Amino acid sequence: MKVLITDFRHPDPSVERAVLDEVGAEVVVGQCKTSADVIEAAAGCTGLIATYARIDDAVLAARPEIRIVCRYGAGVDSVDLAAAARRGVWVANSPDYGIGEVATHALALALAQVRRVAWLDRDVHAGRFHFSSAGPIRRATSLTLGILGLGRIGKRMALVSREIFGRVIACDPYLIDGDFPHYVERVDLETLFARADLVSLHVPLTDETRGLVGQRLLERMRPGSMLVNTARGAVVDVPALLAALDAGRLQSAALDVLPEEPPPAGAPVLAHPRVLLTPHAAFYSEASVIENRTKAARNIVDWVRTGRPTYVVVEGAPRPAP
Ligand SMILES: NC(=O)c1ccc[n+]([C@@H]2O[C@H](COP(=O)([O-])OP(=O)(O)OC[C@H]3O[C@@H](n4cnc5c(N)ncnc54)[C@H](O)[C@@H]3O)[C@@H](O)[C@H]2O)c1
C-alpha cells in the first residue's frame, strides 16, 4: 500500500517511514496547499496523513482508493468528516500527543499577561526601567480563570492553573457533572465570560464555535480582563476582539492561533500593542513532535493489522481483505 503525507513541516519523513515500514507501506510526501494538489499527489494512495491540507469531498470523490485519512494532532476541522462518513473513509487523528505542551503554553500566555511580562520586557528594551511601567498588576490569586472547553487540554490547563489563580471556572455543555474536577466550578457560557478575569479557549473549531468569541461575549467581559486562545483562530472574531481592546473592555489578549496563518502582512492584529502573538507553537516540543508523528502513522499500521486505527474520529467501511 501507498501512503501520502499531504503536507509536511519536518526535515524528512523518517519517523513516519520507520512506523509504516512495519506493514511494508510505501511513503510519498507532498507539499499540497489545495485539494487539487492533494488529488494530484494522492494517485494510488490508500492512506493520507495530513497537516493543514484540506481533505474535502472533492479529494475523496476523485481518489476513491483513499480508505483512511489521518490528521496530525487533535483538530480535524480541515477534513470533511461528513463526506468521509458518507464514503466509508476512516478518519483518525493523534489527539493526545501534546496536551502538556498546549496547556503549558496557554498558562505561559496567561501569566505573560497577568504579570505583564511581554510589556515589561518591551519597556526595559525601550529604556523604561520601572516595576509599574506596564500598568497596575493584580495579584494572581485574586483572579478567576475561565476555561471554555474542558476536554483533554482544558482539564490539564485547570490542573496546572489551580494553585496559581484564586478560582477556576469552566463551561463545557458536553460533559457530565462528574467530568468536572472538584476544583473547577461549572458555569454556563454567559457566566464564564461575565465572571472570569482571564478566559482561556480550549474548544474545537465546529459550526457552533466558529466566531463564538465575538462582540456579544466580549462585551460581557469585566473591564481589564484578558483572553488566551490556543484552540483555533476562527473561534475568535478578531475584529471584534480588537474593538474590545480599543474600547478598554479587555486589557490584553494572547493568541497562538489566528483565522489565517500566517497572518497577511499588514493585518491589524499584528500591529495591536496589547496583543501577544505566538506562531501556532503551543503544541511544540521536540518530544511532542515525535509522539505526534509516530501516533499519526501508527493509526494506519493499526488499521492494516486490526481493521481500526488507534484513534477513530470517523468509523469507515470494513477494510477489504488483502
Ligand atoms: N495551538 C496548538 O498548537 C494546538 C494543539 C493541539 C490542539 N489544539 C486545539 O485545541 C482544541 C482542544 O483540544 P483537546 O485535545 O482538549 O480536545 P478535546 O476534544 O479533548 O476537548 C474539547 C472540549 O471542548 C468541548 N466543547 C465542544 N464544543 C463546545 C462548546 N460549544 N462550548 C464549550 N465546550 C465545548 C468538548 O465537549 C470537549 O470536552 C483542539 O480541537 C485543537 O483545535 C491546538
Side-chain angles (χ1 to χ4, degrees), residues 102 151-153 172-174 202-204 208 230-232 256 280 283:
V102 181
R152 287 173 289 252
I153 297 169
D172 192 324
Y174 299 104
H202 300 287
V203 285
E208 192 189 11
T230 57
R232 281 289 182 270
D256 182 54
H280 203 143
F283 69 91

Side-chain angles (χ1 to χ4, degrees), residues 52 73-77 93-99 101-102 105 147-156 171-175 189 201-206 208-209 212 229-233 235 256-257 261 278-284:
Y52 295 119
V76 284
D77 45 280
N93 62 350
S94 48
D96 55 358
Y97 75 96
I99 296 167
E101 279 78 5
V102 181
H105 198 85
I147 295 177
L148 182 64
L150 199 64
R152 287 173 289 252
I153 297 169
K155 274 201 187 75
R156 183 71 69 89
C171 163
D172 192 324
Y174 299 104
L175 297 186
L189 184 65
L201 307 177
H202 300 287
V203 285
L205 180 61
T206 62
E208 192 189 11
T209 62
L212 178 67
N229 188 9
T230 57
R232 281 289 182 270
V235 173
D256 182 54
V257 285
E261 295 177 2
T278 54
H280 203 143
F283 69 91
Y284 176 62

Side-chain angles (χ1 to χ4, degrees), residues 45-47 64-69 87-91 303 316-317 320:
C45 291
T46 314
E65 60 268 44
I66 298 169
R67 305 314 309 151
I68 177 164
V69 174
R87 294 182 183 278
V89 175
W90 291 87
V91 179
W303 174 71

